[in-house]
Amino acid sequence: MILLAAGALLTGCSAQGAGAGPSRQSSSPSAGASASASGAATPSSDSSAASSVLTPDASLVPESSTDGARLAESVVLGPGDWGRGFVARSPAVSAPRTWAVLDESCRWQREKLPRGVLASTSRYSRLPAGSGRSEVRVTAVATVHASVLGADEQLSTTLEEVLRCPEQRPRSNERITGLMSLGTAFGARDQEYADDSVLEAGKSVQDGGAAQQYLWMVARLGTVVVAVSVTGGAGHTQEELQQLGGKALAQMLTRVEQRLKGK
């Protein structure tokens, strides 16, 4: 289901037109989205917080940073989870008690966790180049919030950031350009796997090399937000990269459900 929904979202992004600049389609109010002053669609806190795809065992929902970190680390994917041939990048994992923040100059920085975020873990992996194919770089992220509203706000912020920063710098030697994003709440556009989801698509340029395809997929289940990024160039089709990201996102969502529903 995630692969089908991601394909529909990518089509929606492409349909907006290259000359229109970064924009996003708005879900109807019944689909669980509301329009911001900038015209962007943002997940509605009222609708998304009212119900969830997942009904967790309350005793298993993290309330402390220790429990949050334990959940995040058990959910986030390592190199071996992505498939054969994937290895760790350097660094392989983010610094403890930090999360990624897009600053005013549109650069991604690691900052201390704010109040309301219990834990966040990022793991960085890659599939080395070979057989006429370029390297594939991937990231998996799991963030645990203290409340559903806090997790919902992360999805809203993710949508707004593309309007503010259609070009971003995840690292000093890398630029993400031409970003477009689409937010889809549960029940809209056949999205039935998460309370809310966001897809971003653009191009990655590293060290002045050729532009590569870039995808950023984010999904929320209750108080947990999981995300994956996939970047690849020569020898890799958009469909192949989309399937890789969709499968990884599904793995983490399944892990969230398994750990919060109990036996």
Side-chain angles (χ1 to χ4, degrees):
M1 289 299 296
I2 290 182
L3 297 182
L4 293 175
L9 295 185
L10 283 172
T11 301
C13 283
S14 299
Q16 296 173 36
S23 60
R24 53 184 65 89
Q25 299 175 0
S26 298
S27 302
S28 65
S30 62
S34 59
S36 70
S38 62
T42 59
S44 166
S45 296
D46 293 337
S47 60
S48 59
S51 61
S52 174
V53 174
L54 171 67
T55 302
D57 180 333
S59 67
L60 298 177
V61 177
E63 296 183 352
S64 68
S65 58
T66 299
D67 290 341
R70 185 180 297 114
L71 176 60
E73 290 166 6
S74 70
V75 167
V76 72
L77 302 185
D81 299 311
W82 286 91
R84 180 180 298 178
F86 278 87
V87 297
R89 296 164 67 184
S90 181
V93 63
S94 58
R97 301 291 301 161
T98 67
W99 75 336
V101 175
L102 189 65
D103 66 19
E104 293 302 314
S105 61
C106 298
R107 293 175 180 270
W108 285 98
Q109 308 284 351
R110 301 296 305 188
E111 295 186 1
K112 182 180 178 180
L113 292 178
R115 183 176 182 180
V117 179
L118 300 179
S120 186
T121 300
S122 299
R123 292 192 181 279
Y124 313 104
S125 307
R126 66 187 182 92
L127 180 65
S131 301
R133 293 187 168 197
S134 69
E135 177 183 71
V136 175
R137 302 186 304 280
V138 297
T139 301
V141 186
T143 302
V144 182
H145 292 259
S147 70
V148 171
L149 289 178
D152 187 61
E153 184 178 356
Q154 182 181 346
L155 271 289
S156 298
T157 300
T158 299
L159 278 170
E160 294 165 357
E161 284 173 338
V162 171
L163 280 185
R164 179 170 68 88
C165 295
E167 180 174 310
Q168 303 173 5
R169 283 191 174 273
R171 292 175 176 80
S172 60
N173 65 340
E174 182 180 7
R175 290 184 299 116
I176 306 296
T177 65
L179 277 171
M180 295 181 288
S181 68
L182 194 65
T184 306
F186 175 76
R189 306 184 188 92
D190 298 321
Q191 197 277 82
E192 298 180 347
Y193 57 85
D195 299 330
D196 277 304
S197 66
V198 174
L199 173 71
E200 294 182 6
K203 297 291 184 181
S204 170
V205 181
Q206 191 173 38
D207 289 330
Q212 297 185 326
Q213 298 175 78
Y214 169 83
L215 297 174
W216 176 243
M217 300 177 176
V218 188
R220 177 180 69 81
L221 279 180
T223 61
V224 183
V225 177
V226 294
V228 299
S229 72
V230 180
T231 303
H236 302 284
T237 65
Q238 186 181 64
E239 181 180 6
E240 176 189 347
L241 299 176
Q242 171 191 322
Q243 289 177 343
L244 178 64
K247 180 180 177 181
L249 196 68
Q251 282 183 266
M252 288 200 289
L253 288 171
T254 297
R255 290 181 178 184
V256 172
E257 289 195 49
Q258 291 173 338
R259 285 151 179 77
L260 295 186
K261 288 183 70 173
K263 297 181 179 179

